[in-house]
Amino acid sequence: AYPLAGMSGRVDACFKISILLMMNNLCYVAIGSVLGIIFPSVPLGMNVSTIVSQTSLVAAGFYTTLPPVINLIRYISPVFWTFSGILKSVYRTSDTYQCRKGESDVGANECYIEYNMGIDLMKRRGINVATFNDQETNSVALEIFMLVVLYIAMNLMIMVYLLHAVRKQKDASSEETGDCQNVDFERAEVAPSAEATAHTTITESSCRALVAQNIVGILSEND
């Protein structure tokens, strides 16, 4: 809510911030779903998700300057793109702040926010905000695009896993159905003894139960 304070009349900035926060939440929900698939154990999944979320926060770069190797993680961190987009939406090149020796065109005690120490520190960490002669300083198109890409990538991973699981289940069902057909073939070719007849009857009952279970499963999926 803090970025929205004092922004009355700037509907576009409020809309951009809302879109960025929505995409950030969707990305983390998708990341949680992927981790839930990879780690089916709830305690292990909770521990791994905590590590991933904290790593994405630290790697975003706005807490401290990171080494070059770790700094690459920021590009797959939803927080980095969300925070960058919010800063671009809030701050403009024409914004000023009070200082001892101001700029002549804005006042004796007013300086452009580009020269603020905090803004300058963000620029050193790769977050370009309120920069003159920079066409991308007020545009959040790249940030929203990267959040959408991350969201789609996570959902594609989930879809691939589900398709693989469904195909694996169908293959297992086909093998079991083939075993049932082999039992019928053996029954037609060989005259069974009393013991073999009892075994065949039990096998046939198991196969019928399996076929019925498969039919119920298919009907449930269609519903």
Side-chain angles (χ1 to χ4, degrees):
Y2 176 75
L4 299 178
M7 293 178 59
S8 58
R10 295 184 58 188
V11 180
D12 60 333
C14 297
F15 179 75
K16 291 177 183 178
I17 293 173
S18 300
I19 294 296
L20 289 166
L21 293 176
M22 179 188 70
M23 290 305 306
N24 180 73
N25 292 337
L26 289 176
C27 286
Y28 273 106
V29 169
I31 292 174
S33 300
V34 172
L35 295 177
I37 290 175
I38 299 175
F39 304 99
S41 174
V42 175
L44 180 60
M46 292 294 293
N47 293 331
V48 174
S49 63
T50 301
I51 294 174
V52 171
S53 61
Q54 295 300 321
T55 302
S56 65
L57 287 174
V58 174
F62 49 81
Y63 286 119
T64 184
T65 303
L66 300 174
V69 177
I70 303 178
N71 198 32
L72 295 175
I73 304 177
R74 68 165 58 188
Y75 298 108
I76 58 174
S77 172
V79 178
F80 169 72
W81 300 108
T82 302
F83 186 73
S84 300
I86 290 177
L87 288 180
K88 287 184 177 182
S89 301
V90 173
Y91 296 113
R92 296 174 293 184
T93 55
S94 59
D95 291 338
T96 60
Y97 70 100
Q98 292 184 353
C99 58
R100 291 184 178 180
K101 186 178 180 180
E103 303 290 337
S104 58
D105 56 342
V106 292
N109 295 321
E110 295 290 331
C111 295
Y112 285 110
I113 198 171
E114 180 182 5
Y115 304 106
N116 182 273
M117 184 179 298
I119 298 297
D120 185 63
L121 188 60
M122 290 297 173
K123 292 179 182 179
R124 295 179 184 177
R125 296 172 182 171
I127 303 176
N128 196 15
V129 182
T131 304
F132 282 102
N133 299 323
D134 188 354
Q135 297 179 355
E136 297 181 357
T137 191
N138 293 323
S139 174
V140 296
L142 177 62
E143 285 73 14
I144 294 177
F145 174 77
M146 289 303 302
L147 288 172
V148 171
V149 169
L150 290 174
Y151 177 71
I152 293 176
M154 294 297 106
N155 281 277
L156 284 177
M157 293 176 62
I158 297 173
M159 184 180 299
V160 170
Y161 175 83
L162 293 177
L163 290 175
H164 175 71
V166 170
R167 181 176 296 179
K168 186 177 181 180
Q169 184 178 5
K170 287 184 178 179
D171 293 340
S173 300
S174 299
E175 291 178 0
E176 293 175 352
T177 305
D179 293 338
C180 293
Q181 293 177 352
N182 292 333
V183 170
D184 293 338
F185 178 77
E186 291 175 358
R187 181 184 177 188
E189 294 294 333
V190 181
S193 60
E195 182 179 358
T197 302
H199 175 71
T200 303
T201 303
I202 295 173
T203 306
E204 289 178 352
S205 300
S206 301
C207 291
R208 290 171 183 172
L210 175 62
V211 172
Q213 184 178 0
N214 291 336
I215 293 174
V216 172
I218 293 172
L219 292 176
S220 299
E221 292 178 358
N222 292 333
D223 293 338

